Amino acid sequence: MTHEEYMQRAITLAENGIGFVNPNPLVGAVIVKDGRIIGEGWHHAYGEAHAERNALAACTEDPTGADLYVTLEPCCHEGKNPPCTQAVIEAGIRRVFVGSDDPNPLVNGGGTQALRDAGIEVVTGVCKAECDALNPIFFHYITTKMPYVLMKIAMTADGKTATRAGYSKWITGEEARARVHETRKRLAAIMIGIGTVLADDPTLTCRTENPSNPVRVICDTNLQIPLDCKLVRTAHEVPTYVAASRVDKRKAEHLEKSGVHILEVPSEDGHVNLRSLMRKLGALGLDSVLLEGGAALHEAALRAGIVQRLHVYIAPKIFGGVSAKSAVGGLGVSEVEEAYRLSMPEISRCGEDVLLRFDVLEAPDVHGDH
């Protein structure tokens, strides 16, 4: 096997941690001696041993003189676990092949330097693009302390998210909906607006094999959430936060007894200030948010500049109707130059539907300071 093939194996192992390691990165490791894999590991869950230590513990023979392939630069600082560089050095590893550099200020090149100082040969950038693709969430969160926000939209070929009568179940097919639940599993939180709660009474859980439910966040400026809605009734089972700017203390007490956490957030233009909310969620250790809101919340999120990624599911259907809802509401931009710019899409099929995945590029500053 080639260096790239061993690293691809490490990438596959890293993906086993999806939904369980946040706000830590996904990391996989493979140990090779005399052309044979003698140990494999990945980071299983937040607070548990890192990939390198798991791979060393799984070794079927002495790793002295072996090569280590790891998708992310080994850590060199004391956290919930001792430094992985220490374990690698003590194990007698001869060479280390690294995929991604770690932008964590506590690492940021220090891991590879510690290994080199110990006489270990280090090769960086092996399958770098593929390894980087494992952790856009971690890279964003560790450098900004703000959650990585992915906005999900499901719409018809003519851009409608509901019929003129307000019906939206189901625009997309089963495969697309299953893909959304896989995305829910990967991200730490899911966020909607109070309008979606009042209209749909959702549960916002993750229905996948080996599920990991995201924390639920509701933007509810005036604390309108019904005490008998599904989100409140299940708040003791799935962590649930309501972000409000005007809080009725008596209702807040009832909600808190039901297990709901109230986040008091300043308002902007009569609604929850989304940048302030993201700072609060980041401080809680929530590294990522799946935004499944309605048109108003989508527009507010774009205007606030908090969205990094966009998933658009397009169904081969047409609803039509001037009054039928579209994906992004608000006033919209007045000039073409003011458009929110997106990267070239990644395009894939989900059954009969199409998924377009975009990065949200920095928009021209025409909306003022947010």
Side-chain angles (χ1 to χ4, degrees), residues 149-151 291 298 301-302 304-310 360-361:
V149 178
L150 189 159
M151 179 189 295
L291 179 56
H298 286 169
L302 288 168
I306 65 168
V307 182
Q308 281 71 52
R309 187 78 163 159
L310 181 63
V360 179
L361 307 178

Side-chain angles (χ1 to χ4, degrees), residues 154 161-163 165-172 200 319:
T161 58
T163 68
Y167 298 116
S168 59
K169 294 183 179 179
W170 294 104
I171 291 175
T172 53
D200 299 336
F319 285 170

Side-chain angles (χ1 to χ4, degrees), residues 162-364:
T163 68
R164 62 183 175 85
Y167 298 116
S168 59
K169 294 183 179 179
W170 294 104
I171 291 175
T172 53
E174 290 185 8
E175 289 189 35
R177 298 200 299 276
R179 180 78 69 91
V180 171
H181 281 277
E182 291 292 341
T183 304
R184 285 186 180 184
K185 179 178 177 178
R186 181 161 193 162
L187 275 68
I190 182 169
M191 187 168 80
I192 60 172
I194 185 59
T196 301
V197 177
L198 298 175
D200 299 336
D201 193 20
T203 56
L204 303 182
T205 51
C206 175
R207 296 184 288 279
T208 64
E209 184 179 348
N210 194 21
S212 174
N213 285 322
V215 170
R216 303 178 301 195
V217 180
I218 300 93
C219 293
D220 184 8
T221 307
N222 299 307
L223 206 62
Q224 297 173 270
I225 188 167
L227 296 175
D228 62 348
C229 72
K230 292 175 183 174
L231 294 171
V232 174
R233 295 205 311 268
T234 59
H236 282 300
E237 302 166 25
V238 182
T240 303
Y241 289 84
V242 174
S245 301
R246 289 179 282 279
V247 177
D248 178 281
K249 291 187 177 180
R250 188 171 181 180
K251 184 171 185 179
E253 288 174 1
H254 285 299
L255 289 167
E256 287 167 349
K257 285 179 182 178
S258 297
V260 174
H261 305 280
I262 306 296
L263 293 176
E264 293 197 42
V265 181
S267 65
E268 180 180 33
D269 299 328
H271 299 285
V272 166
N273 184 304
L274 292 178
R275 290 196 70 83
S276 294
L277 175 56
M278 291 303 110
R279 284 191 286 270
K280 285 182 178 286
L281 296 180
L284 290 170
L286 297 173
D287 65 357
S288 49
V289 172
L290 175 60
L291 179 56
E292 289 196 22
L297 185 55
H298 286 169
E299 190 274 337
L302 288 168
R303 181 159 38 87
I306 65 168
V307 182
Q308 281 71 52
R309 187 78 163 159
L310 181 63
H311 284 187
V312 181
Y313 292 86
I314 302 177
K317 302 171 183 174
I318 290 178
F319 285 170
V322 174
S323 62
K325 293 181 180 179
S326 60
V328 180
L331 288 176
V333 301
S334 60
E335 302 293 336
V336 172
E337 292 75 16
E338 297 175 5
Y340 300 99
R341 306 292 297 183
L342 308 176
S343 66
M344 289 291 290
E346 301 165 24
I347 305 171
S348 56
R349 289 280 299 274
C350 292
E352 64 178 10
D353 306 309
V354 175
L355 170 59
L356 305 180
R357 290 173 289 186
F358 304 89
D359 288 320
V360 179
L361 307 178
E362 187 174 355

